[in-house]
Amino acid sequence: MTNDQEKAPGAAPEGAAPTAGAGSAAQTGAAAQPPAGEPAARKPHRRAWTTVGIVAAIIVVAGAGFWVWHEQPGFCNAVCHSPMDYYVESYDSGDPHLGITAHAADGVTCLKCHDAELTTQISELMAWTSDNYPVTEDGRLATGKEFATEQFCAKSGCHHELGDSYDEITANLWGFAGNDEKYNPHASHQDLALECGDCHGIHEANVLACNECHDLTMPEGWEAPSEQ
């Protein structure tokens, strides 16, 4: 045997099969690589971000839908049937005697007048859950007249056809409803003893208090005190 024919120590004889260790290494290397033509497996974090994005989109759409519903009259009695049913029903009634009918026709919804302040909503929720809110004998809220103030009813921009302020509205009411020019219900000779709610009933009938003494022509849909 020549030197060229000598084998390195531990080398397998010619013609012998590969050892088990060498075969395992070759198989492991082959398994680590995907078959030709097939895409590599997606990384798990990509799928997680996709899921997060879908959930976030659902939350945004649901939140936007809830906010739109929150501004509709039907939201007010969706849970609080008592005492809100009457007010939502009166909004949709089309009754010409109610002040709310003109507001509904102009697309004025509840929250355009009743500000949705968090503190107010919390106190209302507490009053409802404890069944502790003031109502009249017919089940209506007894605080309705408290809203009918100059600050609440004559907000700037609310009554464009008559003016943008209480003073402008008053100036445009002389000779109202075809009456003599000397009559103006907002310029009462009773030294402003009357309040807005004495005449204007948003969810109740509009009543011309002047006709307790006078016999004036009333605006369409209004009633005289004697009709109450």
Side-chain angles (χ1 to χ4, degrees):
M1 178 180 295
T2 65
N3 290 338
D4 293 337
Q5 293 175 328
E6 292 180 357
K7 302 297 181 180
E14 291 183 6
T19 63
S24 298
Q27 292 174 1
T28 302
Q33 300 297 325
E38 291 189 11
R42 294 184 178 180
K43 296 181 179 181
H45 73 273
R46 289 187 177 180
R47 183 174 299 173
W49 279 114
T50 301
T51 302
V52 170
I54 293 174
V55 171
I58 292 173
I59 292 174
V60 170
V61 172
F66 177 82
W67 186 255
V68 172
W69 179 47
H70 175 255
E71 295 189 335
Q72 303 307 309
F75 175 83
C76 297
N77 71 332
V79 176
C80 304
H81 296 288
S82 174
M84 297 309 300
D85 277 349
Y86 167 76
Y87 296 96
V88 176
E89 291 168 1
S90 66
Y91 182 92
D92 295 326
S93 68
D95 187 342
H97 297 91
L98 307 181
I100 194 61
T101 299
H103 290 75
D106 288 339
V108 178
T109 57
C110 305
L111 293 185
K112 290 185 178 179
C113 291
H114 302 281
D115 295 330
E117 298 178 355
L118 181 60
T119 53
T120 301
Q121 292 187 317
I122 291 175
S123 63
E124 290 174 349
L125 178 61
M126 293 176 63
W128 179 77
T129 53
S130 62
D131 197 26
N132 182 27
Y133 44 84
V135 294
T136 60
E137 292 182 356
D138 54 5
R140 301 178 191 177
L141 288 172
T143 57
K145 189 175 179 179
E146 295 178 5
F147 286 107
T149 63
E150 179 180 333
Q151 291 75 21
F152 184 82
C153 298
K155 293 179 180 179
S156 177
C158 287
H159 303 96
H160 301 288
E161 69 277 9
L162 292 175
D164 288 329
S165 69
Y166 182 82
D167 290 339
E168 289 183 14
I169 294 171
T170 299
N172 288 318
L173 284 176
W174 293 102
F176 74 102
N179 290 292
D180 191 284
E181 289 293 325
K182 66 182 180 180
Y183 293 114
N184 187 328
H186 281 199
S188 172
H189 58 80
Q190 299 185 42
D191 195 24
L192 300 179
L194 294 175
E195 299 178 355
C196 300
D198 290 321
C199 294
H200 298 279
I202 300 304
H203 291 278
E204 294 82 26
N206 290 309
V207 180
L208 186 61
C210 302
N211 277 11
E212 288 186 4
C213 301
H214 302 278
D215 186 19
L216 302 177
T217 301
M218 295 182 292
E220 183 180 357
W222 283 59
E223 298 179 358
S226 59
E227 298 178 74
Q228 297 296 295

